[in-house]
Amino acid sequence: LDVGMKRAKAYKNRIVATSEIITGELAKDDKVTITTNGNDITTTILDVIECSSSSTFETMLAANMGKHKAGAGTSAWILLDLTEGVREGSLIQK
């Protein structure tokens, strides 16, 4: 509830991926395809929060910090509108 009732409902039980952005930019509301276990899953990004070496995901989410996007060469926490089916090492792409 630290993130507000609306966001808490939207984010409940959703997958958070920690990812390095290789090229381009990922942003809140982008449609993406996730390749996992040889299957493609299409979904929406609920939020993107740049990783911080000085704060945890929970702290950054509660503070609503960031630009809600991340570009090439950065690491980010990516909240996906999925509740299951994504394995470690999956590829997230626009």
Side-chain angles (χ1 to χ4, degrees), residues 33-70:
T33 300
I34 301 163
T35 303
T36 186
N37 274 355
N39 297 315
D40 288 338
I41 302 168
T42 302
T43 191
T44 303
I45 294 177
L46 297 174
D47 208 344
V48 175
I49 301 170
E50 271 194 42
C51 290
S52 167
S53 60
S54 62
S55 296
T56 65
F57 168 73
E58 290 82 4
T59 301
M60 296 289 282
L61 180 63
N64 197 25
M65 298 173 70
K67 301 175 185 175
H68 307 286
K69 62 183 176 179

